[in-house]
Amino acid sequence: SIEIPDMEDEHGVLPDPIATVGAGVTRNTLNEALRHTGLQFVVDPGADATLGGMVATGASGTTAVQYGTMRENILAVQCVLADGTIVNTGTKALKNSAGYDLLGLLCGSEGTLGVITKVAVKLHPIPENIMAAVCVFDSLQDAAQTVAMLKLCNVPLLRCELLDAMSVKAFNQYQQGQGQQDAGAATKREEKPTLFLEFQAPSMESLQEQVQMTQSICDDYGGSGFDYCSDEEERKALWAARHSLYYASVNLRPGATGAILTDACVPLSQFASVIQETAQEIEEKGVVAPTFGHAGDGNFHTIIPIGEGDSEEYIETLHEISNNIVLRSLAAGGTCTGEHGLGYGKTKYLERQYGPGAVHMMQLVKKSLDPHNIMNPGKVVPN
């Protein structure tokens, strides 16, 4: 079910920009239903995910630098507990300080505390003026430092993605192999660290000011080839290509059939050094592993292609790289997962990240709401 704002109220009252949807509704389905309203749901994880699943995993994506993650874009959630109790959390008000934050507790719980059945999400106006830009750098350090300065200067970025040289190589090869004809994606890009940026503003003049300020900051940090476009088809092609990076990365290594996908997030002040150290380790170990990230919020991913014929020693090296990414991020004051969640594989890092006291508290919450451990047992909280 989808309940959307009535933009033609007979009394002329403007509606609240909120949609209430069943947990199985996907974000593309919601946005299609919203087309006539001029509003949109903005959290974009790069897949047509269900809204319930996005709440359960605390999802985010390329637009989080502007709008925040799923946590900042939900107002209310209905769920069913292990004993069958129906629970309603949150309200449609923009502020709420009544009782424990059960809404925050359910977001990111990965189905371990209850089954989410309904979600009320915030909506935002579809901007009239949007522009995308691309800029190339000689080093990851320079590109990452540019992002930090853009944030310090309060440039209102809609998207801010950083691709390392190997990601751009994968990007080029994949588009060539697909015979991509869209202008924004088909351009063969210089295989150096690259920023993909997007801006929005209420007027074209304001938009141009943002772009000019960004270009000036990029120039200060050695950026080159700054190029921008406002054509909708070019922009869509550019971001569609960005979202295909998983497949491009797997395609980059002949014989690969899948990949280990990492996810970590660090303070912006540490982003440049952590992503540089990660790229250096990958190069030293001779592994194919493109690294890219949502640079505006310090979240980055390394896609490590893996093949059926890989030796045990090689696979061990891949897992070592993945483990080191987490340890490096935690040492920098970050988290073992910025948006993908813990699942089964990352519960072992929970105590290192928060300490035994916080893990014990989580275990008490889990035990009280699911005493028989029937809700996704083994996920999130160590048994």
Side-chain angles (χ1 to χ4, degrees):
S1 64
I2 303 177
E3 299 173 26
I4 61 176
D6 181 5
M7 305 304 288
E8 299 178 0
D9 183 88
E10 61 183 71
H11 302 295
V13 177
L14 289 175
D16 293 311
I18 299 168
T20 302
V21 300
V25 173
T26 66
R27 69 178 190 89
N28 285 346
T29 300
L30 173 57
N31 279 329
E32 186 64 27
L34 288 166
R35 284 184 64 182
H36 70 284
T37 68
L39 298 171
Q40 62 177 336
F41 174 67
V42 294
V43 182
D44 179 10
D48 190 20
T50 65
L51 275 295
M54 290 173 69
V55 174
T57 56
S60 62
T62 56
T63 59
V65 64
Q66 171 86 10
Y67 294 110
T69 70
M70 202 65 186
R71 292 182 185 277
E72 289 78 43
N73 285 279
I74 54 173
L75 289 169
V77 166
Q78 182 185 81
C79 79
V80 180
L81 301 183
D83 65 1
T85 301
I86 298 175
V87 177
N88 292 296
T89 70
T91 71
K92 291 186 178 181
L94 295 179
K95 294 172 68 176
N96 177 20
S97 62
Y100 296 124
D101 184 10
L102 299 180
L103 184 63
L105 181 64
L106 288 171
C107 189
S109 61
E110 300 184 35
T112 60
L113 303 179
V115 177
I116 294 168
T117 55
K118 190 182 293 185
V119 185
V121 297
K122 296 178 184 177
L123 305 176
H124 297 268
I126 298 173
E128 291 187 14
N129 302 288
I130 307 177
M131 194 171 287
V134 177
C135 189
V136 176
F137 295 82
D138 287 330
S139 72
L140 277 172
Q141 182 84 10
D142 290 340
Q145 290 283 58
T146 299
V147 173
M149 183 56 72
L150 288 170
K151 294 287 287 183
L152 285 174
C153 292
N154 204 29
V155 177
L157 301 165
L158 175 58
R159 303 180 201 247
C160 180
E161 300 289 292
L162 171 59
L163 283 65
D164 72 353
M166 195 180 295
S167 295
V168 179
K169 181 179 180 180
F171 183 100
N172 284 335
Q173 287 191 13
Y174 188 69
Q175 296 305 325
Q176 184 178 7
Q178 294 291 306
Q180 184 70 51
Q181 296 302 312
D182 295 305
T187 304
K188 190 174 189 302
R189 305 195 177 277
E190 194 173 358
E191 292 175 5
K192 290 183 176 182
T194 302
L195 285 179
F196 283 15
L197 305 162
E198 193 164 80
F199 312 86
Q200 67 177 30
S203 69
M204 186 56 70
E205 291 77 13
S206 178
L207 189 65
Q208 289 172 343
E209 285 181 7
Q210 293 178 24
V211 173
Q212 288 168 4
M213 181 181 292
T214 300
Q215 183 170 7
S216 177
I217 292 172
C218 288
D219 290 344
D220 289 343
Y221 286 88
S224 62
F226 190 92
D227 188 26
Y228 58 90
C229 71
S230 56
D231 179 77
E232 183 177 3
E233 291 307 312
E234 282 191 53
R235 287 190 298 100
K236 284 184 176 179
L238 180 69
W239 293 108
R242 157 62 186 85
H243 284 312
S244 71
L245 257 179
Y246 172 83
Y247 304 102
S249 298
V250 173
N251 180 71
L252 186 62
R253 184 180 170 221
T257 54
I260 299 170
L261 179 56
T262 75
D263 168 47
C265 190
V266 297
L268 276 179
S269 62
Q270 302 298 310
F271 184 73
S273 60
V274 171
I275 199 169
Q276 179 65 49
E277 288 168 17
T278 298
Q280 185 175 340
E281 180 186 11
I282 289 167
E283 184 178 358
E284 288 173 353
K285 292 182 174 175
V287 170
V288 174
T291 299
F292 59 95
H294 316 307
D297 47 33
N299 190 192
F300 71 98
H301 309 293
T302 297
I303 298 178
I304 313 174
I306 191 168
E308 293 179 358
D310 289 343
S311 67
E312 289 185 15
E313 182 181 2
Y314 185 77
I315 293 173
E316 187 177 323
T317 298
L318 303 187
H319 284 290
E320 182 182 1
I321 291 172
S322 177
N323 182 63
N324 287 342
I325 288 171
V326 172
L327 298 182
R328 199 175 289 123
S329 299
L330 293 178
T335 173
C336 62
T337 174
E339 59 185 9
H340 292 173
L342 290 167
Y344 297 111
K346 288 189 173 179
T347 57
K348 61 186 177 182
Y349 300 115
L350 206 55
E351 186 168 325
R352 184 187 287 262
Q353 180 167 321
Y354 291 127
V359 173
H360 177 61
M361 186 175 179
M362 292 182 199
Q363 289 171 328
L364 291 176
V365 171
K366 168 68 172 173
K367 189 173 182 180
S368 67
L369 295 179
D370 182 18
H372 301 295
N373 198 26
I374 62 173
M375 309 290 288
N376 273 355
K379 276 196 174 183
V380 183
V381 179
N383 288 326

